[in-house]
């Protein structure tokens, strides 16, 4: 396929185009999962196992995809997952992503390890009518002063929630990154950390520089008790990302979390971990309506979103396909990836007899030939 002559029709076609736009090191970093990439593949396979049970003869002439997440409106149930180092895909990096999220009416979660700063990303979206649904994703560093400063900056810049990633006490072993000796190329930096401490992703022979960064800088000792401290730093609602068990979800609520992201980090952390869609069922049951539940991992089609919602998620996060859009065409590419998903969800809802998200329920799905 040629970048200029072919208009990608779906997210898989975007991935094929992106392969030609990225350096090998960036592509491998974006695409890879941990060890044998079993969980990476399982995330997709889990969606294919569930089958839809469409309802017929429903008036679907008007369809509404809008919803609220933590009381904030979005045009469709989608947020862009936090992903590090987006300037590897295009020079505007996270700013392009944020603008596309804003113009498309979806949410965005900014990574602690972004290559554009908390303030740059927030201010790039100022000036339009509705407030952007922007959350800040936090990695707790050993240096608690540095961590506190990140939270305060996110709050002051107008981010609406703090999304603590809990599945990465150490970095998962991504062997492609080890082979490539992954490091940030000259000119790119950890934009949120450069003024505080000048931290960067080091080159290290035979190792992923990001793995070394995690080992040196992030705190693998954090436990549930630290959530109290974290919540004392700002009034931002707490979201925990990376929960895969019902009992952990219940604990998250007891410790004050307002939302949970069921996630295995896109198969990049513990390989062999349960597919996130399969964990969703257990988490939804345990939470029993006491917190909002989101999910990510392997969402590539509108029907995947529909299935996740039918199993009880309020919204989904999408990761890698956003980077493929960013690599192919910057802000416009991200906007188009979102619009493809929106169109697919819209058509899938119509064909399933759902005029609005309220009509999407567990009866819409089966895992075998009979309703579950
Ligand atoms: C991630 N992810 C991630 N998560 C997080 O909490 N903080 C981060 O900085 C990153 N960085 C990151 C970089 C890249 C390149 C990828 C692909 C992923 C995980 C991400 O938020 C999300 O959980 C998964 O990407 C979802 O799976 P899919 O949609 O990529 O299959
Ligand atoms: C990753 C980290 C940064 O998945 O979360 O690469």
């Amino acid at each position: 396929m040629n970048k200029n002559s072919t208009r990608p029709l779906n997210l898989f076609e975007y991935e094929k185009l992106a392969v030609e736009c990225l350096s090998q090191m960036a592509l491998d970093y974006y695409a890879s999962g941990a060890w044998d990439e079993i969980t990476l593949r399982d995330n997709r396979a889990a969606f294919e196992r569930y089958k839809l049970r469409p309802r017929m003869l429903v008036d679907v002439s008007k369809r509404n995809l809008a919803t609220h997440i933590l009381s904030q409106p979005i045009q469709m149930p989608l947020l862009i997952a936090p992903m590090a180092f987006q300037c590897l895909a295009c020079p505007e990096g996270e700013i392009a992503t944020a603008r596309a999220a804003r113009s498309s009416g979806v949410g965005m979660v900014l990574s602690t390890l972004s290559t554009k700063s908390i303030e740059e990303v927030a201010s790039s979206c100022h000036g339009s009518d509705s407030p952007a649904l922007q959350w800040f994703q936090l990695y707790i560093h050993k240096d608690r002063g540095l961590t506190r400063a990140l939270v305060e900056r996110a709050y002051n810049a107008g981010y609406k929630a703090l999304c603590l990633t809990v599945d990465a006490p150490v970095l998962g072993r991504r062997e492609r990154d080890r082979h490539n000796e992954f490091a940030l190329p000259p000119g790119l930096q950890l934009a949120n950390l450069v003024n505080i401490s000048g931290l960067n992703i080091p080159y290290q022979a035979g190792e992923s520089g990001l793995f070394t960064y995690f080992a040196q800088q992030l705190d693998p000792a954090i436990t549930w008790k630290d959530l109290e401290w974290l919540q004392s730093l700002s009034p931002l609602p707490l979201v925990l990302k990376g929960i895969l068990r019902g009992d952990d979800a219940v604990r998250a609520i007891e410790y004050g979390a307002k939302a949970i992201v069921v996630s295995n980090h896109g198969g990049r952390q513990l390989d062999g971990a349960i597919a996130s869609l399969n964990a969703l069922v257990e988490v939804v049951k345990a939470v029993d309506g006491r917190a909002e539940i989101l999910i990510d991992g392997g969402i590539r089609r509108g029907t995947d979103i529909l299935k996740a919602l039918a199993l009880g998620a309020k919204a989904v996060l999408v990761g890698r396909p956003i980077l493929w859009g960013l690599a192919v065409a910057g802000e416009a590419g991200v906007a188009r990836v979102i619009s493809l998903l929106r169109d697919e969800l819209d058509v899938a809802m119509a064909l399933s007899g759902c005029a609005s998200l309220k009509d999407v329920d567990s009866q819409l799905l089966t895992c075998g030939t009979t309703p579950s």
Side-chain angles (χ1 to χ4, degrees), residues 224-246:
W224 295 100
K225 294 197 196 84
D226 295 290
L227 300 185
E228 200 181 327
W229 167 77
L230 191 57
Q231 290 172 99
S232 75
L233 301 181
S234 83
L236 291 175
L238 181 65
V239 179
L240 292 195
K241 172 174 179 282
I243 296 287
L244 289 172
R245 299 169 54 115

Side-chain angles (χ1 to χ4, degrees), residues 126-147:
H126 284 164
S128 44
D129 324 333
S130 57
L133 193 156
Q134 284 180 340
W135 293 355
F136 180 67
Q137 177 271 327
L138 183 70
Y139 277 130
I140 297 186
H141 285 60
K142 287 177 187 158
D143 181 338
R144 291 300 169 100
L146 179 159
T147 305

Side-chain angles (χ1 to χ4, degrees), residues 17 21 90 104 108 146 189 201 227 327 329 336 352:
L17 285 184
C21 304
C90 86
S104 312
M108 169 178 175
L146 179 159
Q189 52 194 18
I201 304 299
L227 300 185
R336 173 127 161 98
S352 303

Side-chain angles (χ1 to χ4, degrees), residues 49 58 60 65 85 99 117-118 133 167 184 229 339 360 366:
R49 261 198 315 275
V58 177
V60 291
L65 277 57
F85 314 144
R99 288 193 170 134
S117 73
I118 291 171
L133 193 156
D167 59 10
L184 278 187
W229 167 77
S339 110
V360 179
T366 176

Side-chain angles (χ1 to χ4, degrees), residues 135-355:
W135 293 355
F136 180 67
Q137 177 271 327
L138 183 70
Y139 277 130
I140 297 186
H141 285 60
K142 287 177 187 158
D143 181 338
R144 291 300 169 100
L146 179 159
T147 305
R148 170 193 289 269
L150 288 171
V151 174
E152 288 171 354
R153 284 170 62 192
Y155 175 63
N156 291 333
Y159 290 75
K160 299 293 188 297
L162 196 60
C163 177
L164 177 69
T165 299
V166 294
D167 59 10
V170 298
L171 195 73
R173 281 297 202 188
R174 301 117 189 218
E175 294 182 353
R176 298 192 235 175
D177 292 345
R178 282 184 99 174
H179 278 303
N180 294 339
E181 299 172 340
F182 177 83
L184 278 187
L188 293 195
Q189 52 194 18
L190 296 177
N192 297 325
L193 300 162
V194 75
N195 293 332
I196 313 178
S197 56
L199 293 178
N200 217 330
I201 304 299
Y203 167 79
Q204 204 189 327
E207 189 49 273
S208 154
L210 186 59
F211 183 87
T212 306
Y213 180 89
F214 267 59
Q216 289 174 352
Q217 303 298 336
L218 300 197
D219 189 351
I222 52 171
T223 67
W224 295 100
K225 294 197 196 84
D226 295 290
L227 300 185
E228 200 181 327
W229 167 77
L230 191 57
Q231 290 172 99
S232 75
L233 301 181
S234 83
L236 291 175
L238 181 65
V239 179
L240 292 195
K241 172 174 179 282
I243 296 287
L244 289 172
R245 299 169 54 115
D247 53 2
D248 272 359
V250 169
R251 232 168 160 190
I253 298 166
E254 286 165 4
Y255 278 86
K258 298 290 182 283
I260 287 159
V261 183
V262 176
S263 170
N264 51 38
H265 215 109
R268 296 161 71 81
Q269 287 297 107
L270 177 64
D271 195 33
I274 184 171
S276 39
L277 193 71
N278 293 336
L280 178 63
V281 178
E282 177 184 332
V283 170
V284 166
K285 196 164 170 226
V287 167
D288 197 21
R290 287 173 290 169
E292 293 186 0
I293 299 172
L294 297 92
I295 181 173
D296 73 20
I299 287 152
R300 303 292 180 265
R301 285 284 189 187
T303 45
D304 299 335
I305 303 178
L306 191 60
K307 289 174 184 177
L309 299 187
L311 287 176
K314 189 90 195 285
V316 303
L317 278 65
V318 172
R320 294 176 182 87
I322 298 296
L323 300 174
W324 309 145
L326 196 62
V328 171
E331 178 183 339
V334 175
R336 173 127 161 98
V337 164
I338 297 167
S339 110
L340 286 169
L341 280 173
R342 188 190 162 84
D343 283 357
E344 290 179 11
L345 176 61
D346 181 57
V347 171
M349 282 174 59
L351 293 175
S352 303
C354 299

